[in-house]
Amino acid sequence: MNLRKFFLTVGFSGLSPKAPGTVGSFVSLIIGLFLLEFLHVSTLFLLSLLITVIAIKQIDIYEKEVGMHDGKEIVIDELAGMWITLSICGINSSNILYMAPIAFLFFRLFDIWKPSFIGKIDRDVKGGLGVMGDDIVAGIAAGIASAGVYQLISKFIL
């Protein structure tokens, strides 16, 4: 159970007493930025998909063990969503100082607000697929929004 908990809580960052989703997202951002120093952005995207597949099964097992759906300590969904955001937004070494905070803020916005079908997935889909699904869609939306905002900033401000 400890290795599963380490994985699902992203190195126990989800055990933070305050804002575990935000802490998990920030830790995931830092890990993602570190990986992007060595890996192509498409590899980060593929890693997020692999982690999602593994996490769905592990969340199903964990939820049966603890008897609760989508416990706040589970933040592996934030990792997958944050990495998808980074994969889509167009982050690179020349814009990292702008894109990293924009991507983080948009991901947290969509993950907390849960507009449209992001909220529907969160409410209606059970088990690991439900836990992971809303954050995957939030990551896609955040990646697109981040890319758009960065284009506006670079055109009119930078």
Side-chain angles (χ1 to χ4, degrees):
M1 170 121 155
N2 283 341
L3 188 56
R4 179 175 298 115
K5 195 165 190 174
F6 181 82
F7 173 71
L8 295 177
T9 62
V10 183
F12 302 120
S13 65
L15 300 178
S16 169
K18 302 260 187 197
T22 300
V23 172
S25 296
F26 184 74
V27 168
S28 299
L29 171 69
I30 300 303
I31 295 169
L33 293 175
F34 174 77
L35 290 174
L36 285 173
E37 290 295 315
F38 305 99
L39 303 174
H40 191 270
V41 69
S42 62
T43 304
L44 187 68
F45 181 78
L46 292 173
L47 278 172
S48 67
L49 295 181
L50 176 63
I51 285 170
T52 297
V53 170
I54 295 167
I56 289 170
K57 179 66 174 167
Q58 294 305 311
I59 290 167
D60 286 341
I61 294 167
Y62 183 76
E63 286 185 346
K64 284 180 184 158
E65 288 176 354
V66 299
M68 178 177 45
H69 174 64
D70 202 2
K72 64 183 178 186
E73 73 277 8
I74 298 174
V75 293
I76 194 67
D77 50 333
E78 273 77 14
L79 180 134
M82 189 74 247
W83 287 8
I84 287 173
T85 302
L86 292 173
S87 300
I88 293 173
C89 73
I91 197 165
N92 59 50
S93 58
S94 66
N95 68 13
I96 193 169
L97 293 177
Y98 297 102
M99 285 305 292
I102 292 170
F104 178 79
L105 290 173
F106 269 114
F107 176 69
R108 291 308 298 147
L109 175 74
F110 284 112
D111 188 33
I112 293 167
W113 179 33
K114 299 188 187 311
S116 186
F117 53 92
I118 298 171
K120 185 165 179 51
I121 293 168
D122 183 57
R123 285 187 307 274
D124 298 344
V125 182
K126 301 300 177 209
L129 185 60
V131 174
M132 296 301 292
D134 67 311
D135 288 80
I136 298 303
V137 178
I140 293 167
I144 294 168
S146 299
V149 166
Y150 181 73
Q151 289 302 313
L152 291 172
I153 289 171
S154 63
K155 182 172 181 137
F156 295 110
I157 298 174
L158 300 179

